Amino acid sequence: MIIGMLLIVLCLITLWLTSPRRRRLVRWHFQRVSVLSYQDWLDAMLSVIQMSIVVLVLFGYSARLNLGDFLPFLGRLTWSWQFLVYMVLYLLALIEITLVVLVLLFDLVLQKDSRLLFKKLTWLAFKPDKPIASLFLLSLVLLADSIFYLGLLVALGKQSLVSVLGLVLGYALAKACRYSSGLHWVLAFCLFALIGVWAVTATLLYGWLAGVLVLIVTYTMISFKEQQ
């Protein structure tokens, strides 16, 4: 129940922040923030909000999960050669399934240029002219997503298959809410649902640090891919 509530709150906040009606927010960013683009600044804001939610839950909902239980969960890692195989299979699935979705759904069914659409799916794009800011944003988003989704929400819902499934879908939905275009929304939801399945599964099987490694590899690939 609490997982669904937290994800709904995060989705609503994301929709509010990314709404084109937030002209005052855009104006404030233009006047005060020059290091990050507006979209990057929104990602930074969402990361701070996620970390704030984690703190509120740990100290305000301690009957279900407290700091003493949460920190050991974050340090858990079951290292084995199977995890290396898991990572190889994940990378193959990420590349191949993404291509299948792009080609079948967008090229054949919707008659859209999937390559152009994928390039315009901008998120955490690395900017050579601002390498420090780009790496800082990537690190911040990685930290926030790792602690919020793979840490807090997995720890709360690991005993229930329904909760885990809701977490994966909620993760994909929260990421897709950044985009206003319907096609970009569908593409983002499919992509992040795939990422969520593998990252959450790695966390449950091999520990939190394994799930973090999945996100590090994935977000880095996304950041350095060709974006417009």
Side-chain angles (χ1 to χ4, degrees):
M1 183 66 177
I2 185 174
I3 294 177
M5 291 175 58
L6 293 176
L7 289 170
I8 290 173
V9 168
L10 185 60
C11 288
L12 292 176
I13 292 174
T14 304
L15 287 173
W16 184 84
L17 284 175
T18 56
S19 171
R21 298 179 180 179
R22 305 275 80 82
R23 294 187 179 90
R24 291 184 179 179
L25 202 60
V26 175
R27 193 180 305 114
W28 186 91
H29 167 268
F30 180 76
Q31 295 173 349
R32 304 292 180 87
V33 183
S34 59
V35 178
L36 297 174
S37 67
Y38 181 67
Q39 293 299 325
D40 289 344
W41 180 70
L42 289 182
D43 286 322
M45 289 286 293
L46 288 170
S47 298
V48 172
I49 291 171
Q50 287 175 215
M51 296 298 293
S52 301
I53 293 175
V54 172
V55 173
L56 289 175
V57 171
L58 288 178
F59 291 96
Y61 199 65
S62 56
R64 180 75 178 272
L65 181 68
N66 56 54
L67 193 61
D69 298 327
F70 186 60
L71 292 180
F73 176 79
L74 295 185
R76 189 170 65 87
L77 175 64
T78 304
W79 181 259
S80 64
W81 65 268
Q82 289 96 331
F83 179 64
L84 296 178
V85 177
Y86 184 93
M87 286 298 298
V88 172
L89 292 176
Y90 166 66
L91 293 176
L92 291 175
L94 181 64
I95 296 172
E96 296 301 326
I97 295 180
T98 301
L99 288 176
V100 169
V101 171
L102 286 174
V103 173
L104 293 182
L105 180 60
F106 293 95
D107 284 346
L108 298 181
V109 178
L110 300 177
Q111 299 294 312
K112 299 292 183 179
D113 187 346
S114 61
R115 184 175 179 274
L116 181 61
L117 189 66
F118 191 64
K119 287 169 62 177
K120 290 185 176 181
L121 191 69
T122 56
W123 188 62
L124 300 180
F126 181 80
K127 298 178 176 60
D129 56 327
K130 297 180 179 179
I132 296 178
S134 298
L135 291 176
F136 170 77
L137 178 64
L138 176 61
S139 302
L140 179 63
V141 174
L142 271 170
L143 178 65
D145 283 1
S146 298
I147 294 179
F148 181 73
Y149 292 107
L150 302 184
L152 178 67
L153 298 189
V154 170
L156 288 172
K158 60 183 178 180
Q159 303 298 333
S160 170
L161 180 60
V162 175
S163 297
V164 172
L165 179 60
L167 166 57
V168 171
L169 295 178
Y171 167 75
L173 183 60
K175 295 301 183 184
C177 284
R178 290 187 71 261
Y179 304 96
S180 56
S181 169
L183 292 177
H184 287 131
W185 190 96
V186 173
L187 178 57
F189 183 84
C190 294
L191 176 63
F192 285 105
L194 175 64
I195 296 170
V197 168
W198 285 82
V200 171
T201 303
T203 304
L204 294 173
L205 292 178
Y206 304 106
W208 179 75
L209 293 175
V212 172
L213 181 58
V214 171
L215 288 189
I216 289 175
V217 172
T218 307
Y219 286 12
T220 303
M221 290 174 60
I222 292 175
S223 179
F224 284 89
K225 81 175 180 69
E226 186 180 6
Q227 302 190 35
Q228 291 184 349

